[in-house]
Amino acid sequence: NAGVMQNPRHLVRRRGQEARLRCSPMKGHSHVYWYRQLPEEGLKFMVYLQKENIIDESGMPKERFSAEFPKEGPSILRIQQVVRGDSAAYFCASSVDRNYGYTFGSGTRLTVV
Amino acid sequence: GEDVEQSLFLSVREGDSSVINCTYTDSSSTYLYWYKQEPGAGLQLLTYIFSNMDMKQDQRLTVLLNKKDKHLSLRIADTQTGDSAIYFCAQGGGSYIPTFGRGTSLIVHP
């Protein structure tokens, strides 16, 4: 049973380009959470999704960021027109229900040059 | 202020016990977690405690919960160099999105 798979592990984008980060939850998990970790900071919640629904996006910046979790396929975090301040590690976690058992992926480290 | 607070650094000698402390704000949290992050890796769930428990022991790990003071601690007995990592405290469960502290960097030296 594979864990939470995130790809790519490392992503380099020039300012103004788009970044797409993918997360495949563990088998049987229908809850997905995205977090951002800035250098020397903790994890900041961004968005919580269930299949085809955004449940809570209170941590998402209002512009340029979007997330989806389609019926088929991985969850996608999309950042349009990236800026240097978007450089961070982005982690995805999944769970079978919202009470317990958050399993994290290894993260995608985005560098904006 | 932050929902979950931790000290940023802890340095211990190999073989000693490490105690990492955390305070949280949400008294309705159902679960409290400890995660470990090694360099360049994701977060690994180390242990958790239900909010109706005071203590949980799992091999070298002991978690203590003081609900009155909203204080959580993680004790690692016989700390080894392989325990060097960042340890995150998190509150969650129920209707709440898990929120994390900034992490405590544990440095184990010979």
Side-chain angles (χ1 to χ4, degrees):
Chain A
N1 187 9
V4 177
M5 305 300 291
Q6 288 189 252
N7 65 82
R9 287 294 302 274
H10 300 275
L11 182 60
V12 179
R13 284 287 177 266
R14 294 187 185 278
R15 278 178 296 171
Q17 289 185 320
E18 178 180 285
R20 277 182 179 248
L21 288 63
R22 294 174 192 79
C23 169
S24 296
M26 282 187 70
K27 188 176 180 181
H29 286 193
S30 60
H31 300 249
V32 166
Y33 308 80
W34 285 94
Y35 288 82
R36 177 164 63 176
Q37 184 179 34
L38 292 166
E40 299 187 15
E41 290 194 16
L43 280 89
K44 297 296 183 185
F45 166 75
M46 298 182 75
V47 62
Y48 162 41
L49 309 103
Q50 284 185 268
K51 282 287 186 182
E52 300 184 272
N53 290 305
I54 295 174
I55 308 301
D56 185 328
E57 56 181 347
S58 57
M60 286 275 271
K62 294 287 184 284
E63 296 177 351
R64 302 189 297 109
F65 285 71
S66 62
E68 62 176 10
F69 188 16
K71 189 176 179 181
E72 301 291 336
S75 176
I76 306 286
L77 179 67
R78 183 178 175 213
I79 311 172
Q80 295 178 287
Q81 299 173 327
V82 295
V83 300
R84 287 228 173 101
D86 296 333
S87 295
Y90 292 82
F91 289 96
C92 167
S94 73
S95 65
V96 67
D97 66 46
R98 66 190 306 176
N99 291 317
Y100 167 67
Y102 312 101
T103 302
F104 279 82
S106 297
T108 293
R109 280 148 185 86
L110 173 66
T111 303
V112 180
V113 297
Chain B
E2 296 288 335
D3 293 330
V4 179
E5 293 196 357
Q6 307 176 234
S7 54
L8 295 182
F9 299 98
L10 176 65
S11 179
V12 300
R13 190 173 299 173
E14 192 174 14
D16 287 350
S17 291
S18 308
V19 179
I20 303 171
N21 294 301
C22 164
T23 56
Y24 61 96
T25 55
D26 192 345
S27 56
S28 300
S29 292
T30 312
Y31 297 86
L32 294 139
Y33 309 90
W34 284 104
Y35 282 84
K36 177 183 180 183
Q37 184 183 32
E38 296 183 359
L43 278 75
Q44 171 195 356
L45 178 64
L46 272 184
T47 188
Y48 67 93
I49 188 167
F50 294 106
S51 60
N52 62 357
M53 297 169 65
D54 297 323
M55 186 183 90
K56 180 178 180 181
Q57 187 149 3
D58 184 0
Q59 299 183 329
R60 292 191 297 124
L61 305 178
T62 303
V63 179
L64 294 177
L65 174 60
N66 180 331
K67 287 188 288 293
K68 176 176 170 290
D69 295 337
K70 297 194 191 111
H71 182 267
L72 184 73
S73 68
L74 173 69
R75 178 177 181 269
I76 306 172
D78 186 25
T79 313
Q80 302 298 307
T81 53
D83 295 324
S84 294
I86 302 175
Y87 290 80
F88 290 92
C89 169
Q91 61 181 3
S95 60
Y96 302 98
I97 304 296
T99 54
F100 288 78
R102 291 180 64 180
T104 299
S105 290
L106 174 64
I107 301 160
V108 182
H109 53 90

